[in-house]
Amino acid sequence: MMRIGLYSETARRPVVRARELRDAMDTLSLEFLGFDLPSLTLTRYRERFAEAPEGLDLANWETFESENPSCFGSMYRLRARRRR
């Protein structure tokens, strides 16, 4: 397992969006294991996507990010591992 942080040049926009992250993870054959986020952000995500509370669907995160543009601040912190 690895932890990855993607920083922004400015504090207003992450380097990539969730859909770009999903594409990069596919290209690198990585399995997404979740974001490291404040508990309030996770609570809001789980309220929005009650059917997927584990938070492993990057398409859901893309929707959540578009509805809450400041949710990731200036960086994504996530966990991933090579696909088995």
Side-chain angles (χ1 to χ4, degrees):
M1 183 170 63
M2 66 181 95
R3 291 181 69 167
I4 301 169
L6 300 174
Y7 295 87
S8 164
E9 291 181 16
T10 67
R12 294 184 167 229
R13 185 188 186 278
V15 173
V16 295
R17 296 284 184 209
R19 81 176 155 276
E20 296 164 320
L21 179 59
R22 183 179 61 220
D23 293 343
M25 302 274 289
D26 287 342
T27 299
L28 297 170
S29 296
L30 295 175
E31 178 184 0
F32 177 68
L33 299 176
F35 287 114
D36 294 328
L37 294 168
S39 60
L40 179 59
T41 302
L42 290 173
T43 298
R44 288 180 178 162
Y45 172 89
R46 289 176 179 138
E47 288 171 355
R48 173 68 173 83
F49 297 101
E51 72 285 355
E54 65 282 346
L56 299 179
D57 186 336
L58 284 168
N60 286 351
W61 280 110
E62 181 180 348
T63 300
F64 185 82
E65 182 181 24
S66 70
E67 295 169 354
N68 303 277
S70 64
C71 67
F72 289 106
S74 62
M75 177 177 68
Y76 288 122
R77 289 188 325 228
L78 60 100
R79 289 170 278 119
R81 69 177 172 203
R82 287 182 193 231
R83 287 199 184 116
R84 297 178 182 186

